[in-house]
Amino acid sequence: RSDERSHAGIPPLTRYHSDMGPARRAVIGFVLIAAVVAGVSEQRLRSDVDELGKRLVGIASEAAGQLDGAVHETIRSEADADSIGFVRLRDTLRRVQDAHHHLLQGADIYTLRSVGDDRACAFVVMTNPSAFVGAPYTCISAADSVWDGARAHTGIYRSPSGVWVSGFAPLLGADDSVVAMVEVDRAADDLVGNRLRNLLIALILGLFGGGVLGLLPGRLSFVEGPRKA
């Protein structure tokens, strides 16, 4: 048949054989299967985190829509924590928190005011049992656009207080300018646990699949098509 192809002016096919040993098949199988399973699992986790972030943004927007920006501007120091305005705003945040307690799992909601450059902020109103009005806080970069009136959320991130996913919404004043930011946090320990569990599952499936491929007898062969001149 090679002679027939030569007479027809077609380059002959070249056949290759590869005796891939069981150990090599097992390693390749493990790497491929583990990589595919881990990749699919990570993509699904990222989708879940993104959906959670959007829900937190929705809660932050709900809270911002119920807060009076003008009253919020009167809360400036710890001395204002007993004022009628502070109590009213805090009670509003707590009602929103209670309405979404299944999702928030006890995490607090609070507002932050920008007090300078380099993301310097200060706490204003919070759902925590004890108030800490004016306490300094460095806002994370994911919230930068909120000061321009946008809404935003994070992925999974770590802070000194734990692992979180957060949603942000702007709080508008009487002139519709951004006077503060509402932040809604949700602990992400379970999501981190899911990531580790998915990685373990990928490794187990990779080991199993690689082991099966290593036990299969066989000789790999393939045919290379005609090469261009």
Side-chain angles (χ1 to χ4, degrees):
R1 187 170 298 275
S2 295
D3 291 340
E4 295 175 0
R5 293 176 63 87
S6 297
H7 290 311
I10 304 174
L13 298 173
T14 304
R15 183 174 297 276
Y16 293 90
H17 295 282
S18 175
D19 290 314
M20 187 180 293
R24 188 177 180 186
R25 288 201 304 270
V27 170
I28 293 177
F30 165 74
V31 172
L32 291 178
I33 294 173
V36 169
V37 174
V40 171
S41 299
E42 181 64 20
Q43 186 63 37
R44 182 177 301 171
L45 177 62
R46 290 183 180 180
S47 177
D48 291 342
V49 171
D50 184 65
E51 180 62 29
L52 172 60
K54 291 177 180 177
R55 293 179 67 184
L56 295 177
V57 167
I59 297 173
S61 298
E62 178 184 338
Q66 298 181 34
L67 296 176
D68 188 325
V71 174
H72 189 276
E73 281 292 87
T74 67
I75 312 300
R76 292 286 168 176
S77 68
E78 192 66 33
D80 298 318
D82 295 325
S83 68
I84 295 175
F86 178 89
V87 173
R88 193 171 74 186
L89 296 175
R90 183 193 61 194
D91 289 347
T92 298
L93 290 182
R94 286 180 175 176
R95 284 195 298 271
V96 174
Q97 181 189 39
D98 290 341
H100 300 280
H101 68 278
H102 290 299
L103 178 63
L104 300 182
Q105 301 178 352
D108 289 292
I109 304 175
Y110 44 90
T111 65
L112 294 157
R113 176 182 290 123
S114 178
V115 295
D117 298 329
D118 299 325
R119 304 190 177 99
C121 295
F123 287 97
V124 185
V125 183
M126 62 289 301
T127 56
N128 305 67
S130 299
F132 40 93
V133 181
Y137 180 74
T138 301
C139 292
I140 63 177
S141 59
D144 286 352
S145 61
V146 178
W147 305 111
D148 295 322
R151 302 185 300 173
H153 66 82
T154 70
I156 297 175
Y157 71 97
R158 186 177 298 275
S159 75
S161 59
V163 182
W164 309 92
V165 175
S166 298
F168 314 95
L171 173 59
L172 304 181
D175 60 352
D176 288 335
S177 62
V178 178
V179 297
M181 172 175 67
V182 179
E183 179 169 343
V184 180
D185 300 327
R186 196 269 200 184
D189 301 88
D190 59 329
L191 298 173
V192 174
N194 288 345
R195 173 174 282 164
L196 295 176
R197 185 174 67 251
N198 291 340
L199 179 58
L200 179 60
I201 291 174
L203 292 175
I204 292 174
L205 291 177
L207 286 172
F208 177 78
V212 170
L213 288 176
L215 293 174
L216 291 177
R219 186 181 188 189
L220 297 181
S221 65
F222 60 91
V223 175
E224 183 184 74
R227 297 181 179 180
K228 294 182 179 180

